[in-house]
């Protein structure tokens, strides 16, 4: 298995920690993603690569009828345990396990970069009803904040992924022009250890050796204990949710 595939499949062994330590999505980002659709009815929304249900929970809270699709068994079990009133199905983005034209929107939380774009976009188009929406969003630390930019450097492992332009990643002839919006929010952390636990749910930490993980963890803790923003008890991590949406072409 190549590194990309190993990383894409790495989350399950830490599914419980993932659910506990990864941030939620702001409801404003979810509302903006679904804005091109009629707002006067309950929408059928498919959460693709749903993981442990971070985005799913927001969609359910907004009152939508949600189908969560996720290939990793441990992630899907965690989702079923934590999020109720949702249909949960095993499956990949490249073969979405629902019939043609049965959903109003397909949403993807911090996962689109794992998909085979050429196979996934026609699949998404197939399951959407006419005028349907696809939106991919990424939750990421706000790198305009000095201590976070420095922390990102300290928390680097030997495995790094280059960030791609979201609109470029999604663009496809079956869909209209990508639109993009960024939403600020924050993740509350009780201690430096809790932020280190968050970083340890990222694939760049999950696929390295235990020795390397320990070395990076020690560096992260030393940094966070030395900074005024994070050394004294609970703190908020400034976050941004970067959303790109497109409407299915008529
Ligand atoms: C970083 S997690 C995001 C999970 C969730 N959407 C969230 O926002 O917390 C990435 C997820 O993508 C899933 N994944 C990886 N490759 C996939 C594929 N080809 N199709 C569908 N899901 C995939 C992984 O199993 C994992 O649960």
């Amino acid at each position: 298995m190549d590194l990309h595939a190993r990383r894409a499949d790495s989350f399950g062994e830490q599914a419980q920690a993932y659910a506990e330590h990864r941030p939620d999505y702001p409801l404003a980002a979810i509302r903006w993603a679904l804005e091109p659709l009629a707002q006067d009815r309950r929408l059928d929304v498919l959460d693709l690569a749903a993981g442990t249900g971070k985005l799913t929970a927001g969609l359910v809270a907004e009152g939508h009828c949600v189908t969560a699709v996720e290939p990793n068994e441990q992630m899907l079990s965690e989702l079923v345990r934590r999020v109720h009133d949702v249909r949960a199905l095993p499956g990949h983005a490249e073969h979405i396990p629902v019939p043609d034209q049965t959903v109003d929107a397909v949403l993807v939380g911090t996962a689109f970069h794992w998909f085979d774009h050429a196979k996934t976009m026609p699949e998404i188009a197939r399951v959407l009803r006419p005028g349907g929406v696809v939106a991919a969003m990424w939750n990421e630390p706000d790198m305009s904040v000095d201590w976070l930019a420095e922390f990102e450097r300290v928390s680097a492992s030997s495995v790094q992924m280059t960030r791609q332009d979201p609109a470029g990643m999604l663009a496809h002839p079956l869909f209209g022009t990508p639109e993009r919006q960024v939403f600020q929010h924050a993740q509350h952390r009780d201690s430096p250890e809790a932020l280190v636990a968050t970083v340890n749910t990222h694939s760049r930490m999950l696929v390295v050796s235990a020795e390397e993980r320990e070395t990076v963890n020690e560096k992260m803790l030393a940094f966070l204990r030395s900074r005024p923003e994070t050394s004294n008890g609970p703190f908020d991590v400034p976050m941004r949710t970067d959303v790109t949406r497109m409407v299915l072409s008529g």
Side-chain angles (χ1 to χ4, degrees):
M1 208 192 271
D2 70 15
L3 182 60
H4 183 87
R6 272 180 56 219
R7 290 182 68 175
D9 194 36
S10 66
F11 301 97
E13 69 180 62
Q14 289 293 328
Q16 216 181 318
Y18 187 106
E20 201 177 322
H21 293 293
R22 282 287 189 114
D24 297 324
Y25 292 89
L27 295 182
I30 292 175
R31 286 180 196 139
W32 184 82
L34 298 173
E35 199 183 57
L37 295 161
Q39 299 298 310
D40 55 353
R41 64 187 173 88
R42 199 171 182 225
L43 298 171
D44 293 315
V45 183
L46 191 141
D47 181 4
L48 191 56
T52 61
K54 294 273 160 195
L55 179 55
T56 324
L59 288 164
V60 170
E62 284 291 280
H64 300 302
C65 180
V66 187
T67 300
V69 172
E70 163 60 39
N72 184 284
E73 211 182 303
Q74 291 138 302
M75 297 295 266
L76 195 60
S77 308
E78 202 60 35
L79 182 150
V80 169
R81 214 164 63 76
R82 287 173 183 262
V83 190
H84 304 126
D85 299 324
V86 59
R87 183 167 68 131
L89 303 174
H92 284 87
E94 296 80 1
H95 300 282
I96 303 174
V98 305
D100 297 358
Q101 300 194 3
T102 46
V103 297
D104 300 302
V106 173
L107 263 56
V108 183
T110 319
F112 193 88
H113 49 282
W114 299 123
F115 304 163
D116 178 332
H117 177 259
K119 290 184 182 155
T120 298
M121 295 314 292
E123 263 301 88
I124 292 176
R126 177 185 68 76
V127 303
L128 283 174
R129 295 185 178 124
V133 164
V134 58
M137 56 183 83
W138 281 265
N139 249 345
E140 50 200 26
D142 184 347
M143 289 305 163
S144 67
V145 176
D146 283 349
W147 76 263
L148 264 178
E150 240 183 281
F151 180 65
E152 181 80 351
R153 283 190 288 279
V154 171
S155 67
S157 77
S158 57
V159 173
Q160 284 297 318
M161 195 167 68
T162 47
R163 287 198 168 85
Q164 291 167 275
D165 164 49
M169 224 189 298
L170 261 82
H172 192 277
L174 290 170
F175 291 86
T177 310
E179 295 175 277
R180 189 172 172 194
Q181 190 86 249
V182 173
F183 297 83
Q184 304 287 336
H185 63 124
Q187 185 190 20
H188 186 74
R189 298 282 69 192
D190 281 336
S191 63
E193 287 77 5
L195 181 51
V196 169
T198 301
V199 176
N200 275 272
T201 66
H202 285 261
S203 67
R204 69 173 195 268
M205 292 294 276
L206 292 169
V207 298
V208 297
S209 68
E211 289 91 339
E212 180 176 347
R213 203 159 37 240
E214 204 181 313
T215 306
V216 179
N217 283 345
E218 279 166 14
K219 275 167 52 187
M220 286 194 283
L221 274 178
F223 174 84
L224 294 171
R225 285 176 183 148
S226 74
R227 291 289 305 209
E229 297 90 345
T230 51
S231 56
N232 296 312
F235 53 90
D236 281 343
V237 179
M239 303 284 305
R240 55 205 292 286
T241 301
D242 190 336
V243 192
T244 297
R245 72 182 184 199
M246 302 189 301
V247 176
L248 185 63
S249 296

